[in-house]
Amino acid sequence: GVHVAEKEAKRDYQEVYNAIATKIRDEDEYDNYIGYGPVLVRLAWHSSGTFDRNDNSGGSFGGTYRFKKEMNDPSNKGLQNAFDFLRPIHEQFPWISSGDLYTLGGVTAVQEMMGPKIPWRSGRVDQPENTVPDNGRLPDASQGASYVRNLFDRLGFGDRETVALIGAHALGKTHYENSGYEGPWGPSPNVFTNDFFVNLLNAHWTLNTNKKGVKQWDNDQGHMMLPTDMALVKDPKYRKLVEEYAKDQDVFFRDFSKAFAKLLENNIKFPDQNKPHYFKTLDEQDL
Ligand code: HEM
Ligand SMILES: CCOC(=O)c1cnc2ccccc2c1N
């Protein structure tokens, strides 16, 4: 009847964005006052990064992270914090699909941390448990450049997109209990900048084996880098891109926005009339 039509018409994704953004702003004490932004970005990435272009499996469409097989993938340790953060949002807006919610969470987080605008399309549809992709599709941080290049090739990305995407490591931190890496957060853990690239090039890095026997790079200001982070300055083709992004934050923002939007839409054919949403930040709405 007309009410259903009315409810359908009320599908306002800016309202969902505002609810997520307000909750990020309010719950600022999480993870030593870093806040929920970084872990929400990581959930959006991990729920999309299962894509394999060789058989068109995985990706964000089915919202399969909600099933324990995927949630308990060792690569996803720590992301329950993002899932628990989004649960009340999903109760407030039960009409949004899980895939749309997980990806919108990452878009909201990037924009509210003063990052670039990320165009985002709605329309993912929850799929059943038997569509959960296998564990082990997300990258292993102990590897080098050729591994990184192969993994991102499987995701359908070239060098420029790969380096831009990993620039998200300016955000948040590693957590011993999640990945076995431990490092204090970087210079701007909850503000989206090109610091990751600047630090990679300018700091003096030494390779250490931490208490868990895991190798990581540490510098004299107490920041850390993963082996896969450091691969970006060891590989000459990646290094050129790191230098470009360290020099020009606007170019990094432009390339990150395109690559992140593509990552979140991997393996999904949206109908053409389904135009991307461009969301306003809370500040732009004087909220
Ligand atoms: C070679 C590719 C990558 C590897 C090996 C990798 C690995 C990791 C590891 C080990 C952590 C620490 C997790 C923890 O201990 O809590 C982490 C955190 C993070 N990753 Fe990546 N990552 C990669 C690419 C990406 C991409 C493409 C994005 C987003 C576009 C991303 C966003 C993040 C964020 C925001 C955090 C911080 C999370 C938090 O503070 O809770 N990463 N990553
Ligand atoms: C700007 C200096 O580099 C960093 O601060 C840095 C480097 N790698 C990371 C890898 C995963 C998660 C957080 C990361 C991080 N915060």
Side-chain angles (χ1 to χ4, degrees), residues 169-174 185-187 195-196 199 223-226 229:
H169 279 173
L171 300 171
K173 69 186 287 291
T174 55
W185 49 87
D195 282 351
F196 172 77
N199 256 268
H223 301 147
M224 63 78 66
M225 289 281 176
L226 303 167
D229 293 332

Side-chain angles (χ1 to χ4, degrees), residues 55-115:
D55 62 0
N56 284 326
S57 62
S60 67
F61 185 79
T64 52
Y65 169 82
R66 73 191 189 280
F67 294 117
K68 55 185 179 306
K69 175 183 166 190
E70 185 168 334
M71 194 178 284
N72 295 339
D73 180 339
S75 304
N76 286 335
K77 209 148 180 315
L79 292 183
Q80 291 88 343
N81 295 303
F83 182 76
D84 293 344
F85 174 96
L86 289 171
R87 189 195 304 275
I89 304 288
H90 215 167
E91 281 153 17
Q92 189 182 350
F93 303 98
W95 46 262
I96 194 168
S97 67
S98 304
D100 278 358
L101 184 60
Y102 304 151
T103 53
L104 181 55
V107 168
T108 306
V110 167
Q111 296 195 177
E112 292 300 303
M113 289 189 283
M114 296 157 63

Side-chain angles (χ1 to χ4, degrees), residues 244-264:
E244 185 181 340
Y245 293 147
K247 230 183 4 263
D248 189 333
Q249 180 164 284
D250 293 343
V251 170
F252 166 50
F253 271 36
R254 183 201 65 194
D255 288 357
F256 180 86
S257 174
K258 272 184 3 218
F260 196 55
K262 177 178 167 184
L263 171 69
L264 272 38

